[in-house]
Amino acid sequence: MWKIGSKLIHPFNPELGVGVVRKLDGRFLEVYFPDEGRELTLSPQSSGITRLILAAGSSALLLDEDEEVVIAEALGHSYRLEDGREVEDAALWPLLPPDTPLERLATGRLNSVESFRNRVEGLQFSKLREAGGLGSFLGGRIDLFAHQLYTAQQAVAHDPVRWLLADEVGLGKTVEACLILSALLRTGRAERALLVVPDTLAVQWLSELYRKFHQVFVLLDEKRLESVQIDFGEDANPFEIHPFSVISQEQLLANPKLCLSAMMAELDLVVVDEAHRLSNEPIDDVVRPLVSMSTHALLLTATPLQADSEGFFELLSMLHPEDFYSYEEFKISLEQGGTQVPCTSSVRRADVGGLPPRVTLPVDLPAAAEELRNDPRAQWLMDQARIWAKAREKVLVFVRDVETLLALQELLEARVHLRMPVFHEGLDPATRDIEVANFRDSRAPILLCSEAGGEGRNFQFCERMVHYDLPLDPVILEQRIGRLDRIGRKIPVEIVYFRLEGEKLDVAGLYERLDLFSRPAAGLDRALVPVRSTLAGAKRGVFELDIDKLCAEVEEERQRGGKSIVEVFYPDAYHHSMESEVLEQVPEELDSLTQKVCIDAAEELGFTVVDKGGDARFYIEFGSEAIIEALPGVQDGARFLGTFARTEAVRREEMEFFSSGHPLVEGLLLELEDGDRGRAACLEIPCASVDGGGLLVFWKKGAEWEAEVVDVAGKPHPEWVVPLLEALPRARKADLGVEKPSPEWSEGLRSLGETLLGEGDMMAAALFRTTS
């Protein structure tokens, strides 16, 4: 079958162009592709390679004479030319016309009905997953919440995207930021991105990006920065070597030169978590220039800002200095309810609705003891720890100072005979993450946590929280509760706190009067300013507060709705009345169509596909039986165990989520769009409402696609499109005599193609006849 000089086109890498066999080595061919200047060793049996045989009427170049000739007939490994000469295949070089689906039909290069159908379904899926603009957000391993999708949609509709995410604690600002980031990366609007986060949250951000959004970022810690210098030289810019990276605010502060390197890398996107920290001047000095120079920027903060309109203004001026240059004008505009540039979101629980209740569980105890081992709170915890351990429950215990926390750890471990993980500012970030993982996966019932765990961390897997002591700031109390009271939680938030007999500073009683345990404090920070200042003074022995008056002011603020600065500033903010309108944009059949397109494509390509049962679970392997040598973004030999069902993926994080953005899904779709499979076919379509036959063509322009039908006389029939597409799943291969077309027939088909009116790229074409 093969000889030196035989020609071929790689069926799954057509971009290589025409290849010529240079050497035969047993079952392998050494093939040279002059268009790419590459030589490959191929196995025809495993790669699906066949010879390129020129059809009658095709043009070719006679190499020795540099003469253009026309083929009259193929004769094995030689050709008879129109002038009667007979020449060897090795003496000719094909002059191929554009490799369109129509030309494939004209020259008899047909694909199977299954691959043609797979290509058409891929077109339908590509359009469907855009979901009216939501498509870039639907690939994450997340439950779909309308307020998060709405916020991300609003943000990416702007160019550049420079947005302040100031939602209430626990409503998913990290998810919103990841949705926006993924959309910018996927649509090519950002090619370099840097996340600047507290060191306590750095590994959590990496995990969220990878496990939930298929995004691979690198943590630029001390070890990674050293490896960049070793591997690439002392002058190497780590932000150019790693264009998608996470760095801690503490790392930037300790090494200001890194800020200069980041600026030189010309970042497209900078994300700053816990942005209220920028009120600290040294941090502001290193982060503000990055935000200013980046094309896109996201600032995240859950700290209430309405009591600090100047701090709010500072964040906005960092994002939009051209619009926010005068604090005095900003204050006047706020007082007058003036609308300015929409660049913020500030969703509250009341805007979302449906969250589980907070359940307060106060515990009355005798007065506190000087020695910890005799303190009634410690005794209560030691007794409860055994019960929780037996019930396999998880409890988050907040302690104000690290010294007390470590002493409690020692007492509890001695009583329960289990190691009690801890989380506090004295641990390095990696150790903190290990402690959290040990807590979640071990039998330990308690994680002892300082205020370091009150920012950004997600502990909603815990059954309850215990406040060993209460913070002297209601904002910090709300941040603590927000570790469990988060969007997606299904069970009530149990909040345990102690009421100690004879306590001089009755913080628990004050917070009870203000109803701060059972009701969120968002929107109340202006009314709570006296509480913060009074409790701060109480540490110095001063406690002057008109509690009755304060309670009345807080309740008045609640009744008024606690309208925030952000809502005044951005009146089009999300409201729960928008939920159905937003979620209706999400196609119900998205997961099932993703599964069908990808499974069909994987099986067509010879991948190992095993249905593991359950909820759309599959094992897929790019193994030795595959008929392609490479798939974009997927390593040869890669194995995946995952699901196409969102609910299953959210429930079982150890499984892959086969969705938009996953490398296997994106690789299969790229192969469908750019490869040769399914471009041309002859079909017999059972369709009683269409009488006749003709040409069915699919066009693609951007994310849009359309089908066009003409009959054998070239007359357009738009009314045939819908019934033919509906019947396409039942189509069979038709013998229309196309496999060995005559020159006259080929020219007739090309002439038929000239009647087509579609725009964009022709993706697939089929000759068809219908049956009843």
Side-chain angles (χ1 to χ4, degrees), residues 276-297:
H276 54 274
R277 290 187 172 198
L278 299 184
S279 60
N280 177 304
E281 189 170 327
I283 297 178
D284 183 80
D285 289 343
V286 295
V287 174
R288 182 178 288 266
L290 297 181
V291 174
S292 299
M293 292 192 67
S294 177
T295 304
H296 309 287

Side-chain angles (χ1 to χ4, degrees), residues 569-586:
F569 172 74
Y570 185 18
D572 295 328
Y574 177 82
H575 185 266
H576 62 79
S577 62
M578 302 175 178
E579 181 178 16
S580 59
E581 180 183 349
V582 173
L583 294 181
E584 281 172 3
Q585 298 177 63
V586 181

Side-chain angles (χ1 to χ4, degrees), residues 151-152 154-165 180 184 189 267-272 287-300 314-324 341-345 569-570:
T151 296
Q154 294 297 305
V156 300
H158 291 72
D159 195 16
V161 177
R162 299 183 67 81
W163 208 265
L164 174 64
L165 298 171
I180 296 167
L184 293 175
R189 294 169 65 184
L267 299 168
D268 300 310
L269 171 64
V270 170
V271 180
V272 181
V287 174
R288 182 178 288 266
L290 297 181
V291 174
S292 299
M293 292 192 67
S294 177
T295 304
H296 309 287
L298 299 174
L299 304 183
L300 286 69
E314 286 299 319
L315 293 179
L316 294 175
S317 67
M318 192 182 308
L319 292 169
H320 296 281
E322 70 283 1
D323 295 308
F324 301 100
V341 179
C343 62
T344 63
S345 65
F569 172 74
Y570 185 18

Side-chain angles (χ1 to χ4, degrees), residues 392-700:
R392 297 294 179 94
E393 292 182 337
K394 298 295 181 182
V395 181
L396 185 65
V397 178
F398 273 104
V399 186
R400 274 207 304 259
D401 70 89
V402 176
E403 184 179 352
T404 304
L405 183 153
L406 294 175
L408 265 177
Q409 179 191 28
E410 185 177 342
L411 279 176
L412 287 167
E413 289 179 346
R415 175 67 65 89
V416 184
H417 305 295
L418 287 174
R419 185 181 179 280
M420 297 294 163
V422 294
F423 190 104
H424 58 79
E425 51 271 29
L427 302 176
D428 61 71
T431 304
R432 292 173 193 162
D433 289 304
I434 291 171
E435 291 288 281
V436 172
N438 288 339
F439 170 53
R440 183 163 192 165
D441 298 334
S442 72
R443 291 181 55 220
I446 289 174
L447 175 67
L448 294 163
C449 192
S450 73
E451 305 300 359
E455 283 186 334
R457 282 282 174 175
N458 184 348
F459 291 110
Q460 67 172 285
F461 61 87
C462 294
E463 274 75 18
R464 66 189 59 86
M465 66 166 47
V466 175
H467 300 276
Y468 183 84
D469 42 30
L470 289 166
L472 302 181
D473 185 336
V475 171
I476 295 177
L477 175 67
E478 184 65 23
Q479 288 178 336
R480 283 185 178 186
I481 297 173
R483 298 315 99 212
L484 269 65
D485 190 4
R486 307 181 72 80
I487 192 77
R489 186 178 178 90
K490 307 300 182 186
I491 61 175
V493 180
E494 295 185 5
I495 303 169
V496 179
Y497 59 93
F498 301 108
R499 296 187 295 208
L500 300 175
E501 185 179 331
E503 198 163 27
K504 292 182 180 179
L505 184 59
D506 186 11
V507 180
L510 174 61
Y511 287 172
E512 285 178 332
R513 286 284 308 274
L514 296 171
D515 206 7
L516 296 180
F517 292 113
S518 59
R519 296 169 70 182
L524 303 178
D525 43 310
R526 275 180 295 193
L528 293 175
V529 167
V531 178
R532 303 174 73 177
S533 57
T534 298
L535 290 178
K539 290 188 289 186
R540 300 187 297 272
V542 180
F543 189 80
E544 295 180 0
L545 190 65
D546 187 338
I547 295 180
D548 291 334
K549 179 183 177 183
L550 177 63
C551 287
E553 290 175 351
V554 168
E555 189 57 34
E556 181 182 353
E557 191 73 18
R558 280 198 172 108
Q559 294 301 320
R560 196 164 53 233
K563 193 167 187 178
S564 70
I565 280 180
V566 183
E567 288 175 306
V568 173
F569 172 74
Y570 185 18
D572 295 328
Y574 177 82
H575 185 266
H576 62 79
S577 62
M578 302 175 178
E579 181 178 16
S580 59
E581 180 183 349
V582 173
L583 294 181
E584 281 172 3
Q585 298 177 63
V586 181
E588 290 183 9
E589 67 273 33
L590 182 63
D591 290 354
S592 60
L593 187 56
T594 306
Q595 176 180 326
K596 186 171 190 328
V597 169
C598 292
I599 292 300
D600 287 353
E603 290 179 338
E604 282 271 315
L605 295 174
F607 286 25
T608 301
V609 178
V610 181
D611 187 340
K612 304 297 286 186
D615 198 353
R617 283 182 258 169
F618 288 86
Y619 170 82
I620 304 174
E621 180 181 347
F622 182 6
S624 59
E625 299 301 315
I627 61 174
I628 55 172
E629 295 181 342
L631 189 70
V634 179
Q635 290 186 339
D636 184 17
R639 302 173 180 180
F640 304 94
L641 177 62
T643 177
F644 289 92
R646 179 179 303 278
T647 52
E648 180 79 348
V650 171
R651 188 175 69 87
R652 308 226 2 219
E653 286 200 357
E654 72 276 10
M655 301 187 75
E656 303 274 354
F657 181 29
F658 299 132
S659 63
S660 294
H662 189 280
L664 178 64
V665 173
E666 296 303 318
L668 291 171
L669 289 178
L670 277 173
E671 189 280 331
L672 262 180
E673 184 164 331
D674 298 337
D676 277 3
R677 283 191 314 111
R679 290 188 177 273
C682 286
L683 308 175
E684 184 177 88
I685 305 177
C687 186
S689 59
V690 176
D691 183 17
L695 182 62
L696 172 62
V697 175
F698 292 87
W699 303 88
K700 188 173 188 292

Side-chain angles (χ1 to χ4, degrees), residues 194 202-203 206 216-234 236-248 251 255 258:
L194 174 66
V203 174
L206 288 173
V216 180
F217 274 61
V218 167
L219 177 61
L220 292 179
D221 56 8
E222 199 65 47
K223 185 177 180 180
R224 178 76 65 174
L225 292 169
E226 289 177 2
S227 72
V228 168
Q229 289 189 337
I230 293 171
D231 295 339
F232 300 96
E234 292 187 1
N237 187 331
F239 303 98
E240 292 178 348
I241 302 298
H242 300 292
F244 303 111
S245 53
V246 177
I247 195 167
S248 73
Q251 182 76 29
N255 189 353
L258 285 172

Side-chain angles (χ1 to χ4, degrees), residues 4-211:
I4 302 298
S6 294
K7 313 298 189 305
L8 60 86
I9 294 179
H10 199 295
F12 303 109
N13 300 100
E15 70 279 1
L16 294 172
V18 177
V20 57
V21 176
R22 284 185 164 180
K23 183 179 179 181
L24 303 175
D25 185 8
R27 293 183 296 108
F28 295 95
L29 310 175
E30 288 190 9
V31 183
Y32 179 65
F33 294 90
D35 287 356
E36 294 290 320
R38 293 176 62 186
E39 186 165 280
L40 300 177
T41 299
L42 304 175
S43 169
Q45 288 77 16
S46 63
S47 300
I49 292 172
T50 57
R51 280 182 57 213
L52 173 62
I53 299 176
L54 301 180
S58 301
S59 297
L61 186 67
L62 194 58
L63 295 173
D64 289 343
E65 283 79 13
D66 197 23
E67 174 189 356
E68 186 172 334
V69 296
V70 177
I71 303 298
E73 184 182 3
L75 306 169
H77 286 277
S78 63
Y79 293 93
R80 183 170 57 81
L81 307 181
E82 278 194 338
D83 60 11
R85 286 179 291 174
E86 185 176 327
V87 296
E88 291 294 314
D89 187 5
L92 294 171
W93 190 261
L95 298 175
L96 299 178
D99 189 29
T100 65
L102 191 65
E103 187 60 32
R104 286 172 170 265
L105 279 176
T107 54
R109 291 178 289 151
L110 303 180
N111 301 115
S112 69
V113 176
E114 291 75 18
S115 61
F116 181 84
R117 194 156 41 219
N118 189 216
R119 173 173 285 272
V120 172
E121 288 173 343
L123 286 174
Q124 295 170 330
F125 172 64
S126 294
K127 169 63 177 173
L128 182 72
R129 72 174 183 164
E130 292 305 313
L134 279 183
S136 296
F137 311 128
L138 299 182
R141 185 198 297 268
I142 57 172
D143 289 316
L144 298 179
F145 293 107
H147 73 280
Q148 295 174 344
L149 296 175
Y150 178 82
T151 296
Q153 258 186 319
Q154 294 297 305
V156 300
H158 291 72
D159 195 16
V161 177
R162 299 183 67 81
W163 208 265
L164 174 64
L165 298 171
D167 294 355
E168 193 175 326
V169 171
L171 293 186
K173 292 181 300 300
T174 300
V175 168
E176 290 172 350
C178 288
L179 288 171
I180 296 167
L181 176 149
S182 294
L184 293 175
L185 296 184
R186 187 175 150 196
T187 56
R189 294 169 65 184
E191 296 180 353
R192 293 183 183 276
L194 174 66
L195 279 64
V196 182
V197 305
D199 61 359
T200 57
L201 303 178
V203 174
Q204 179 173 303
W205 269 96
L206 288 173
S207 176
E208 291 275 308
L209 286 163
Y210 178 69
R211 293 301 304 165

Side-chain angles (χ1 to χ4, degrees), residues 737-754:
V738 179
E739 283 79 359
K740 295 182 179 181
S742 67
E744 294 77 16
W745 191 94
S746 298
E747 284 305 312
L749 184 59
R750 294 184 184 108
S751 298
L752 185 61
E754 292 175 1

